[in-house]
Amino acid sequence: MEIGIDSFASALYGSNELTPVVAMEQLLERIELADQVGLDVFGIGEHHKKEFLDSAPAVILAAAAARTKNIRLTSAVTVLSAADPVRVFQSFATLDLISKGRAEMVVGRGSSIEAYPLFGFKLDDYDALFREKLALLLQIRDEEFVTWRGKFRAELANQPVYPRPLQEKLPVWLGVGGTPESFARAGTLGLPLMVAIIGGNTSRFRPLVDLYREAGARAGFTPEQLKVGLHSPGFVSDDNHKAVEEYYPGYAELWTKLGRERGWPPVTRNQFDSLIAPQGVLVVGGPERVAEKLLRHSEALGGVDRFTFQMDNAGLTHQQLMHSIELIGTKVIPLMKAG
């Protein structure tokens, strides 16, 4: 299993707001450390809000590429519905050249909707936009000269798209939430799947992952081509007690705030304890507990090829995040390989 980190480039640490310059420098330091201690991948999300600095993820990833050597660099996710697939491809092909073949992207419709009015798109076209733009992105990836016609973009008539990436086929993962159609679509297209699970028990997604694999098999793809990734909140500290004490206050504050915006009840400690229990989705604890839980998640979903921690939105300091990344590389990954 590949292990990595996803970040929304948060400039908020609990009640302490950093300047954008400091927050960005600290984020790049974390990516650099993740590379040094052997993590496999680092992803940058896409939001268009004051509290996040990730509106241009390819730019952040390009800066990280110049400071790293081995770690793969990806979006998490690119809001493709509100973007131009030509420009998305060009940005990540350029990143692939800068990083010498380490670029990937995870594309999706986005759980945050602020990009749609910002770029002049209608939410009524939510799914139609994504279907059309995903098809165009994949065609651009596979063909240097593109002939294409659709509803939401000017047509292309044998138009070349440059630059081409170093990798023969730039990896494109499909980011999904809980919609069966999205899982089936990823399987039919033979795209690797990145599942975002932020609550409940991971095992409840097994029928959807099975649907993905069944759709892929019907479309003629092998099990090796149908990769499954899992993105969930998590945090590693020296031991279980310390991890909970450091992580819970910021997690509760964040999700209670989101609950007020979206109609959820406030977070309670009992709810949190159920989420960090063996079957719960949160991967929070000391290295041994975290390694065990990742292996348990993989078993519950019939095999997981990649897991990415989302940990920088829970009020943790830069020092705590750096220590967690170091523990993942030096403790968790060796434990998983041994187990």
Side-chain angles (χ1 to χ4, degrees), residues 93-224:
T94 302
L95 172 64
D96 201 51
L97 298 176
I98 295 170
S99 66
K100 297 181 176 62
R102 294 184 282 131
E104 300 186 1
M105 67 180 88
V106 181
V107 300
R109 294 175 293 186
S111 59
S112 298
I113 60 174
E114 70 275 358
Y116 291 82
L118 182 63
F119 296 110
F121 295 102
K122 297 178 181 178
L123 281 172
D124 291 344
D125 298 323
Y126 188 74
D127 194 57
L129 280 163
F130 185 70
R131 286 199 309 270
E132 179 176 297
K133 293 187 176 190
L134 177 61
L136 176 55
L137 177 67
L138 296 178
Q139 185 175 345
I140 294 168
R141 181 185 69 167
D142 296 339
E143 302 173 8
E144 184 175 340
F145 289 81
V146 180
T147 297
W148 176 90
R149 177 179 292 179
K151 177 180 178 182
F152 300 105
R153 191 200 185 282
E155 66 181 87
L156 298 169
N158 199 37
Q159 184 72 39
V161 179
Y162 300 118
R164 306 307 296 180
L166 178 62
Q167 296 176 86
E168 182 177 351
K169 198 164 188 175
L170 190 68
V172 176
W173 296 64
L174 191 62
V176 300
T179 307
E181 292 78 9
S182 297
F183 285 79
R185 173 162 45 207
T188 299
L189 294 171
L191 296 177
L193 184 76
M194 180 56 71
V195 189
I197 306 180
I198 59 175
N201 291 345
T202 303
S203 58
R204 67 190 174 95
F205 279 78
R206 177 63 182 267
L208 294 171
V209 173
D210 287 344
L211 177 64
Y212 160 70
R213 291 179 172 129
E214 291 163 4
R218 286 195 300 270
F221 296 100
T222 66
E224 292 73 25

Side-chain angles (χ1 to χ4, degrees), residues 1 206 209 213 227-229 297-305:
M1 185 192 303
R206 177 63 182 267
V209 173
R213 291 179 172 129
K227 294 182 179 180
V228 175
H297 280 347
S298 182
E299 182 180 358
L301 295 179
V304 168
D305 299 284

Side-chain angles (χ1 to χ4, degrees), residues 5 63 85 96 106 204 210-211 219 229 250 253 258 264 272 276 294 300:
I5 304 286
D96 201 51
V106 181
R204 67 190 174 95
D210 287 344
L211 177 64
E253 180 181 350
L258 289 174
W264 305 332
F272 178 79
I276 64 171
L294 290 178

